[in-house]
């Protein structure tokens, strides 16, 4: 399972890095800006989770070679976009973001549960892992974080998927099956919400 967790964290990091990369390119940031936004998106949620759980070393410090991978991907992407004149859309961010949301929410919950945290704390660690990187991405790109403002189910799906993982794990379904089912549920629901423009109730002044 440690190898499985490492693989999931790598995939989640790359998914969020891709969404941050696209966001930086859409804002026409320079190379430094694109790398920073991509890194914050990729590592922000996992870093806050590890700090709150007092988990050392942090993922990106223990596996520091992924920093070089991230830098290389950012540089190659910038060169590719400039040569092809690609115009990134808002929707292009949402697909890798949905995958990162699903992966990080379940992984964060699993890590907190393994640290003997109460169920509600484990679920919130999953939500924090999943949304905080995107919040940092939007703040640096001078936008109100979409997780709080676009009325789309985002943190709600992360919360539900994390709770589902704990329920399946409590039923002794098996960690791999629990992870796969919970991941698929969050990712599919998020993509359906994007496709069909689902919204959660919002407070509106009289």
């Amino acid at each position: 399972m440690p190898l499985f967790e490492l693989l999931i964290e790598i995939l989640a990091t790359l998914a969020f890095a891709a969404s941050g990369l696209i966001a930086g390119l859409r804002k026409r940031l320079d190379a430094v800006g694109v790398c920073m936004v991509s890194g914050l998106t990729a590592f922000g949620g996992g870093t806050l989770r590890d700090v709150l759980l007092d988990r050392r070393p942090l993922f990106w410090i223990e596996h520091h070679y992924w920093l070089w991978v991230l830098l290389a991907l950012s540089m190659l992407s910038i060169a590719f976009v400039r040569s092809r004149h690609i115009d990134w859309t808002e929707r292009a961010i949402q697909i890798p973001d949905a995958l990162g949301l699903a992966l990080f929410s379940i992984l964060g919950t699993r890590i907190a549960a393994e640290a003997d945290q109460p169920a509600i704390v484990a679920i919130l660690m999953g939500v924090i892992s999943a949304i905080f990187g995107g919040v940092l991405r939007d703040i640096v790109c001078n936008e109100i974080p979409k997780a709080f403002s676009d009325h789309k189910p985002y943190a709600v799906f992360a919360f539900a998927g994390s709770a589902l993982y704990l329920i399946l794990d409590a039923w002794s379904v098996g960690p791999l099956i629990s992870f796969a089912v919970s991941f698929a549920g969050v990712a599919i629901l998020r993509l359906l919400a994007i496709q069909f423009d689902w919204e959660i109730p919002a407070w509106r002044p009289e």
Side-chain angles (χ1 to χ4, degrees), residues 63-181:
H63 305 285
H64 54 85
Y65 46 84
W66 280 102
L67 295 173
W68 293 109
V69 174
L70 187 65
L71 288 171
L73 288 175
S74 298
M75 295 298 99
L76 290 173
S77 299
I78 292 172
F80 179 80
V81 169
R82 285 183 174 177
S83 64
R84 299 298 182 90
H85 304 289
I86 295 176
D87 183 21
W88 294 106
T89 64
E90 178 67 23
R91 182 157 295 218
I93 301 176
Q94 296 174 339
I95 295 175
D97 191 67
L99 298 178
L101 176 77
L103 289 166
F104 258 133
S105 59
I106 312 304
L107 180 63
T109 300
R110 175 176 171 77
I111 289 173
E114 288 179 339
D116 296 324
Q117 297 298 324
I120 185 61
V121 174
I123 292 171
L124 290 178
M125 286 298 105
V127 175
I128 288 172
S129 300
I131 72 170
F132 192 69
V135 169
L136 289 176
R137 175 196 66 210
D138 294 341
I139 290 174
V140 171
C141 290
N142 197 30
E143 297 179 357
I144 298 174
K146 297 178 182 64
F148 307 145
S149 62
D150 68 354
H151 308 304
K152 300 291 191 299
Y154 192 75
V156 172
F157 288 153
F159 190 98
S162 299
L164 176 61
Y165 173 80
L166 290 182
I167 292 171
L168 293 175
D169 191 55
W171 288 349
S172 300
V173 174
L176 293 176
I177 296 177
S178 299
F179 202 106
V181 172

